Amino acid sequence: MTGRPPHDPAPDSGTTTGADLHLDLPPDGPRRTALARALRDAVRSGRLAAGTRLPPYRSLAVDLGVARGAVSDAYAELVAEGWFTARQGSGTRVAEGAPVRPARPASGPAQAPRAHAYDLTQGKPDPASFPRGAWSASARRALAAAPDDAFGPGDPRGRPELRRALAEYLARARGVRTDAEHVVVCAGFANGLRLLAGLRPRDWAVEEYGLPFHHGILAAAGVRPHPVPLDGDGARTDALPARARTVLLTPAHQFPTGGPLLPARRTAAVEWARSTGGVILEDDYDGEFRYDRKPVGALQGLAPDQVVHAGSLSKSLSPALRLGWLVLPDALVGQVVAAKGLRESWTSAVDQLTFADFLDSGAYDRHVRRMRHRYRDRRDHLAATLARRAPQVRVTGIAAGLHAVLGLPPGTESAALAAARGAGLLLDGLSEYRHPAAEPLGSAQEGLVVGYAGLGDRGFAEAVEVLAGALGSMCSMTPRSN
């Protein structure tokens, strides 16, 4: 049989069209036979999945260095055998139901099934709520308007369009005092923390409770940590050590315990920085998400020359974007830009341009407001359910953020964690966030850290019922303290 397969589209006028298709052909022998065998093997092995469109036969002939007739005949043979289909306007495709050889199981121990039905770990926004339509619209506008230099090597400070948009947004929404020249775009907060850890003196003050991942970044950079005690009013900034020259704080919503840094303690932190020549690194990880009142402004607004304001999209949009920023005092801008070094750690210029449009169009404000309402309802539902079914467990901290700490009766954290995990819930105990260098007794607290943002509405409602049931049963067996 010769000629094109039935209904195959007309041959391309050039040789630069068509998808790439890798096939190994023997150096001699009939080309049509070898090509048909290679195509069957590609389908059997799963390399060509059902529905995959094959390259036009002229393009494949040029790629493989064979006659066009050999490709046309091989396609026609596989169409006749039922491996391929060919329809006008759709081209030649792998047929549905073509036999696929089962994949050989990987060597090594079998993978254990998932042990948890519900993931309540903190730090994850609802992935189903990502504003795909608005983000796609911003991406289209940003690409259409992008200057040619956006597709070149770029600037380690980040795209100027985004730095300008961020400076305007942070001034309006978070009370930050800055301009585009003091904004440096980075690949999330962790990237910014690594940069600063390599630049600042080794003695850092850190909050007694924090993210172990951040503790690890500082340790890897050789930082000597000095944990600062916490209470219900946030970090005890009156106890900042004199030898430290940098302090890492979460003023808007202490992570993970949930208290705000009260005004007097904000003032004490600024006075410490001014008197010692120190720097405050303000991790504003979820500053937009305050539910019981208007969000408190950034600490940076009190002392732009002493505070580095750091933020990212990990909580508000998605950690997959790898987009963050540092608002820097004048003395640190050049040092941070130089420390960024090779381009490989930079954030995609296309994502930066898209986010700049997302900010300018108001889409980011609309998304944050929408998620603020959703997460507030989630927190309220969690608190109400626990109050009804496990009254000895209390939701602590301010109404803010994407997680809550459940305060527990003394001596019950291990039992509560075991009960929750035994019921199919994945979550953490508060003790896992306490800095290993903190005082052994100090202000140790007991509780569970519950993320209420990552699940869908139905899954979250089910998870809360399971959690309340597990904690209610555990508390009923715990003697009340006198």
Side-chain angles (χ1 to χ4, degrees), residues 3-21:
R4 294 199 301 269
H7 311 298
D8 209 37
D12 299 297
S13 59
T15 60
T16 60
T17 60
D20 288 339
L21 176 59

Side-chain angles (χ1 to χ4, degrees), residues 16 87 104 107 122 150 177 208 215 255 303 323 325 347-348 374 390 404 414 444 453 461 475 479 482:
T16 60
R87 294 185 178 87
R104 182 175 299 175
S107 59
Q122 61 78 32
R177 294 161 56 193
E208 185 179 28
H215 299 160
F255 181 86
L323 253 173
W325 51 88
T347 300
S348 160
R374 176 169 296 184
S414 294
C475 289
N482 293 326

Side-chain angles (χ1 to χ4, degrees), residues 350-436:
V350 174
D351 285 342
Q352 292 185 52
L353 291 169
T354 300
F355 184 42
D357 181 273
F358 202 70
L359 284 166
D360 288 339
S361 68
Y364 186 67
D365 287 88
R366 290 190 292 274
H367 174 75
V368 167
R369 286 197 298 270
R370 181 166 63 92
M371 300 314 297
R372 193 181 289 147
H373 287 296
R374 176 169 296 184
Y375 295 154
R376 179 192 62 199
D377 290 345
R378 295 273 185 93
R379 183 185 174 92
D380 290 347
H381 178 72
L382 172 65
T385 303
L386 290 173
R388 185 178 72 254
R389 299 189 56 191
Q392 287 181 282
V393 178
R394 66 192 188 283
V395 177
T396 65
I398 60 174
L402 281 67
H403 77 276
V405 171
L406 309 186
L408 296 168
T412 62
E413 181 179 308
S414 294
L417 196 57
R421 289 175 175 172
L425 300 169
L426 184 61
L427 73 172
D428 300 320
L430 182 58
S431 61
E432 297 172 50
Y433 294 88
R434 195 157 188 262
H435 199 287

Side-chain angles (χ1 to χ4, degrees), residues 226-285:
H226 302 277
V228 178
L230 296 171
D231 58 24
D233 296 332
R236 289 280 309 279
T237 52
D238 59 320
L240 288 172
R243 66 185 301 180
R245 287 297 174 269
T246 308
V247 57
L248 172 58
L249 297 175
T250 50
H253 184 217
Q254 201 288 320
F255 181 86
T257 61
L261 190 63
L262 293 191
R265 296 191 178 181
R266 289 175 164 235
T267 301
V270 169
E271 290 176 349
W272 168 87
R274 287 174 174 159
S275 64
T276 62
V279 168
I280 300 167
L281 173 54
E282 175 183 25
D283 180 3
D284 199 41
Y285 69 100

